Amino acid sequence: MDKIKETLRFDYNNMMDSYIGKKEGISEKELNSMKLIANEAHNNFKINRGKGMLGWVDLPYTQNLIIKDILLTAKAVKKAEYFVVLGIGGSALGPMALFQALCNIRHNDLKRSKRRSPKFYVEDNVDPERMQSLFEVLDLDKTVFNVITKSGSTSETMSQFLIISDILKKKYGERYKDHIIATTDEVNGNLIKIAKAEGFKCFYIPSGVGGRFSVISPVGLFPAAVLGINIKLLLKGCAEMDKMCRKSSFETNPALIAATLQYLAMKKGKNISVMMPYADSLKLMADWYCQLWGESLGKESNIFGEKVNVGQTPVKALGVTDQHSQVQLYTEGPLDKVVTFLSVDKYRATILIPAGYENFSSISFLSGHTLNELIIAEMVATEYALTKNERMNCKIILPYVDEYYVGQLMMFYMLQTAYCGYLLNIDAFNQPGVEEGKNATYALLGRKGYEMKAEELNSKRNKSSRYIVGK
Ligand code: PA5
C-alpha cells in the first residue's frame, strides 16, 4: 500500500436530536457547551502524553529497535507448528483481537502451506478441561509458548506457566527454555526474575503501559509478527490516528468528539455501550473494547476522592448474528444504551448469491445480490430501526480491514477512553475494584501474607440453605 489517504470515519448523526428526536438525542447546544471542557481534557492529555500511565501514546514512534528484535525472533518462531499465548485480560485480549482481525478467520483450520505461520491459541482461562484439551491438541516438540504478564504475578497466568514449564522440563531438561518466551515488565514482578535465571528470551512491557493499553507493545506485536501480521503498518495506522487527534480541535478530533458524546450519553442515563461489528474479523475487537472501556471507566471515586460510581457497561454483539438475538431488546427495551456499529466499506471477499427457486419470491429476491450487499443492508436497516425508535447509535467505518485501519481503530479507542477518563475526572488507568477479588483468591489458596484476609473470609456469614433451591 503506497498512497495512504483514507482514515476511519466516525458518524454520529444518530446521536443527535435532529435524527433521534429531542427527547433522547443530544442537541447542538449541549454539544457546544462541552467544547471548553473537552478542549481542556485534550490539553491535559497533550501535556501528560508519554508520562505516567500514558506511555502507550508514544509506542507508535519509539519501538524501532524492539521491532527489529520482534521480527527476528518471530522469524524463528514462525517455523513452529503451534504458538500458544498464556495471559489474561490485557495480556490476552489484544493478541486475540489482532489475530481475529488480521489472519484468516479459519487460520487454525488451514493447511500449513496456506497459513504460513503456526496455529495460534490464547489460553486466558484456568478451566482445567480447557487446559487438558489443549494438551490433546499440541505436539510439544513443535510448540512455543509466550507467557505474557505485566505484573509477573497474575495467578491465572503463573499457574499455567507452572504447569507448562513443569511438563516441558520433564520432557526436555535444560532445553525447555527454548519453548518459552516471556513478555513482562523489565524490572518489576517475579516473571522477569525467573526468566533471567532460566535464560528465557524476553520482551518488555514499558512501565507506563497498562495491560488494556498494551496491544501495541510487544504484548500484541510479538504474537502478531509470529502470525505474519505487518506490525509496522499497524503502528503506522496508530500514528496516523494519534496525529489526527493531536492536531485537531474539538470538531475534527474523532476520539475527543466520540468521548464527549459518550459522556453526554452517560449523563442522559445511557449506561450501556454496545459494540456491534458487522464483520466477523472485528468480532474480538468488541471483547478488547469491553475490557478497555469497562475496566478504565468503571470507578467508584473520582480524582478528588468523591464517590461517583461512574462507567458504562460495555456489551459485545455481532452483526448480523445478534439481530436474531439482541436487537429486539436494543430497539424496544430500556432506553439505556448507545449502540456503536463497526462497519467496513470493502470486505476482503465478495460472494454472489446465485439464482434459484424463482417461484418463491421470499427467497428469489436475494439472487443476484452479494453477501456483501446483504450484510450492509442489514446493518443500515438495524441502524434505521434503532434511530426510528429514538435509540442513540453511531458508527465507525473502516475503509478496509487491514493492519493500517485496525491500528487506527485501536488507537481511536485508546484515545477515546483516555479522553473520557479526563471528562469524568477519574483515573482511567487503575483497577482497584479487581484487587478485592484477587486478594480473596490469594487468601483462599493460602498465600503467605494474606492470613488476615483469610480470617476475614472465614468470618463471613455462612450461606443459608433457605436460599438455595435444589439438592
Ligand atoms: O488492564 C489491566 O491492567 C488488567 O486487565 C491486566 O491486563 C490483567 O489483570 C492481567 O495482568 P498481567 O498482565 O499483569 O498479568
Side-chain angles (χ1 to χ4, degrees):
M1 188 185 283
D2 294 318
K3 286 188 199 156
I4 293 166
K5 291 198 206 94
E6 286 177 278
T7 61
L8 59 79
R9 290 149 9 239
F10 174 57
D11 170 358
Y12 61 95
N13 278 282
N14 299 338
M15 299 290 285
M16 304 303 290
D17 64 353
S18 40
Y19 288 83
I20 58 164
K22 293 227 173 321
K23 201 166 138 265
E24 297 298 323
I26 293 166
S27 67
E28 281 284 341
K29 200 174 157 204
E30 275 173 295
L31 195 57
N32 283 332
S33 73
M34 286 298 297
K35 214 169 176 166
L36 216 70
I37 305 166
N39 280 334
E40 205 177 295
H42 180 51
N43 287 335
N44 273 335
F45 179 78
K46 253 184 170 169
I47 295 165
N48 291 316
R49 54 179 293 139
K51 298 180 200 153
M53 291 314 285
L54 287 179
W56 51 271
V57 199
D58 288 337
L59 292 176
Y61 314 102
T62 54
Q63 298 189 94
N64 283 349
L65 280 178
I66 297 158
I67 286 168
K68 268 194 188 156
D69 187 14
I70 285 178
L71 291 176
L72 200 73
T73 314
K75 204 174 163 193
V77 175
K78 257 185 181 171
K79 294 181 191 137
E81 182 58 22
Y82 305 95
F83 179 58
V84 183
V85 163
L86 309 177
I88 197 164
S91 295
L93 291 161
M96 282 157 72
L98 291 177
F99 171 59
Q100 177 81 9
L102 298 167
C103 290
N104 186 302
I105 286 171
R106 301 187 200 279
H107 175 90
N108 283 0
D109 298 324
L110 293 175
K111 284 198 184 113
R112 174 81 213 197
S113 57
K114 277 213 163 177
R115 82 184 126 79
R116 298 209 297 261
S117 57
K119 290 188 182 182
F120 185 54
Y121 301 92
V122 179
E123 296 307 304
D124 61 348
N125 204 358
V126 285
D127 179 338
E129 292 179 21
R130 177 169 163 173
M131 175 132 279
Q132 178 68 40
S133 75
L134 179 72
F135 291 126
E136 285 161 22
V137 169
L138 301 180
D139 173 349
L140 287 178
D141 287 355
K142 299 177 184 166
T143 304
V144 175
F145 295 91
N146 183 194
V147 50
I148 309 180
T149 163
K150 167 93 193 282
S151 61
S153 61
T154 301
S155 301
E156 295 85 351
T157 308
M158 294 319 284
S159 56
Q160 290 174 336
F161 168 73
L162 281 169
I163 295 164
I164 277 151
S165 55
D166 182 59
I167 294 173
L168 292 174
K169 261 184 214 167
K170 284 178 180 147
K171 197 163 161 69
Y172 303 110
E174 273 224 342
R175 277 181 34 245
Y176 95 103
K177 68 174 173 38
D178 301 341
H179 293 262
I180 298 179
I181 293 169
T183 305
T184 188
D185 192 285
E186 191 167 4
V187 191
N188 299 311
N190 293 326
L191 183 62
I192 189 63
K193 296 186 189 108
I194 298 170
K196 284 196 169 147
E198 302 287 302
F200 300 155
K201 167 71 194 162
C202 288
F203 291 109
Y204 302 118
I205 310 168
S207 55
V209 178
R212 52 195 179 272
F213 293 85
S214 69
V215 61
I216 53 169
S217 78
V219 169
L221 295 181
F222 177 60
V226 171
L227 293 163
I229 292 168
N230 184 340
I231 58 173
K232 288 186 184 169
L233 194 55
L234 182 84
L235 291 173
K236 197 167 174 176
C238 294
E240 184 61 36
M241 179 53 63
D242 175 47
K243 282 178 203 152
M244 199 167 142
C245 294
R246 194 176 346 172
K247 280 189 228 138
S248 357
S249 64
F250 180 55
E251 287 83 359
T252 52
N253 180 332
L256 185 60
I257 200 114
T260 308
L261 288 162
Q262 296 295 347
Y263 172 81
L264 286 172
M266 284 184 233
K267 296 256 166 233
K268 285 175 178 286
K270 314 294 175 203
N271 291 323
I272 298 176
S273 159
V274 179
M275 178 181 275
M276 192 165 186
Y278 272 72
D280 272 55
S281 59
L282 301 175
K283 186 178 173 183
L284 298 186
M285 281 294 153
D287 291 55
W288 173 79
Y289 161 75
C290 282
Q291 187 212 11
L292 182 67
W293 199 242
E295 210 165 76
S296 301
L297 302 185
K299 298 288 151 71
E300 182 175 78
S301 310
N302 64 15
I303 48 169
F304 312 114
E306 295 154 349
K307 198 165 173 168
V308 283
N309 296 109
V310 289
Q312 218 180 18
T313 304
V315 170
K316 52 193 177 181
L318 179 67
V320 304
T321 308
D322 282 310
Q323 283 180 208
H324 298 268
S325 161
Q326 300 298 308
V327 167
Q328 168 62 33
L329 169 73
Y330 301 165
T331 312
E332 293 190 353
L335 288 140
D336 56 358
K337 298 171 199 66
V338 182
V339 176
T340 302
F341 296 101
L342 290 188
S343 146
V344 177
D345 279 336
K346 195 172 182 309
Y347 289 85
R348 292 170 292 190
T350 304
I351 293 194
L352 181 71
I353 306 170
Y357 305 103
E358 277 82 10
N359 298 339
F360 300 103
S361 61
S362 65
I363 298 174
S364 62
F365 78 97
L366 295 165
S367 302
H369 291 291
T370 58
L371 286 184
N372 310 51
E373 286 170 327
L374 179 60
I375 195 169
I376 293 293
E378 294 209 36
M379 182 189 64
V380 171
T382 305
E383 219 181 325
Y384 169 73
L386 288 177
T387 305
K388 196 173 162 191
N389 280 289
E390 306 178 321
R391 311 287 153 148
M392 278 190 182
N393 65 93
C394 56
K395 186 159 66 177
I396 292 168
I397 308 130
L398 271 71
Y400 192 73
V401 180
D402 69 2
E403 287 86 343
Y404 182 65
Y405 295 118
V406 165
Q408 287 193 12
L409 179 70
M410 293 184 119
M411 198 62 171
F412 168 87
Y413 268 113
M414 291 193 281
L415 290 167
Q416 177 190 310
T417 305
Y419 285 139
C420 208
Y422 278 109
L423 291 174
L424 290 166
N425 283 319
I426 49 137
D427 181 348
F429 305 101
N430 64 4
Q431 51 281 326
V434 186
E435 295 309 313
E436 185 62 45
K438 274 192 184 175
N439 293 340
T441 308
Y442 297 150
L444 286 168
L445 295 182
R447 180 169 163 182
K448 212 169 153 208
Y450 289 82
E451 295 77 8
M452 295 251 288
K453 186 52 74 183
E455 258 174 53
E456 185 188 312
L457 278 163
N458 287 334
S459 65
K460 80 175 176 3
R461 190 176 185 156
N462 284 336
K463 283 195 172 170
S464 160
S465 59
R466 201 170 139 219
Y467 302 128
I468 299 173
V469 183
K471 284 191 219 167

